[in-house]
């Protein structure tokens, strides 16, 4: 079974909109805090974590723009590295 299937069955992974196919987010609560892990699974047989952070937004559930920009940059660099 591949990582996507396992994550899908767990019900904790969801596609991150606007970042292309194969990019997913896992939201994890821990001791009253919110953490996010963003990973891409469509890069061969490997699971690549591109970013993990503690969500500190006081304005709803939206991921802050600076975090999205960092994720986009890391995804671009990862794809270039794996060519």
């Amino acid at each position: 079974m591949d990582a996507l299937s396992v994550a899908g069955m767990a019900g904790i992974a969801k596609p991150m909109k606007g970042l292309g196919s194969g990019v997913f987010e896992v939201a994890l609560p821990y001791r009253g805090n919110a953490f996010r892990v963003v990973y891409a699974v469509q890069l061969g047989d490997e699971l690549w974590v591109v970013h993990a952070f503690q969500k500190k937004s006081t304005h709803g559930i939206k991921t802050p723009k600076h975090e999205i920009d960092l994720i986009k940059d890391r995804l671009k660099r990862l794809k270039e590295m794996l060519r």
Side-chain angles (χ1 to χ4, degrees):
M1 188 174 298
D2 64 27
L4 179 56
S5 298
V6 172
M9 278 192 266
I12 61 172
K14 65 178 186 173
M16 273 202 87
K17 295 178 181 174
L19 296 178
S21 66
V23 180
F24 293 84
E25 175 183 43
V26 176
L28 304 167
Y30 180 71
R31 294 186 180 181
N33 295 308
F35 294 88
R36 302 289 186 264
V37 176
V38 179
Y39 65 92
V41 295
Q42 299 296 323
L43 299 172
D45 294 335
E46 298 169 337
L47 175 68
W48 289 85
V49 173
V50 295
H51 191 45
F53 60 99
Q54 181 177 358
K55 182 137 177 351
K56 296 183 178 184
S57 173
T58 58
H59 298 33
I61 63 171
K62 189 171 181 177
T63 301
K65 183 181 181 327
H66 70 275
E67 300 289 359
I68 296 292
D69 291 343
L70 181 58
I71 292 163
K72 285 180 180 179
D73 181 59
R74 288 181 177 175
L75 283 169
K76 179 182 173 186
R77 290 173 36 210
L78 177 62
K79 288 176 183 177
E80 288 172 355
M81 183 186 79
L82 294 175
R83 278 191 212 163

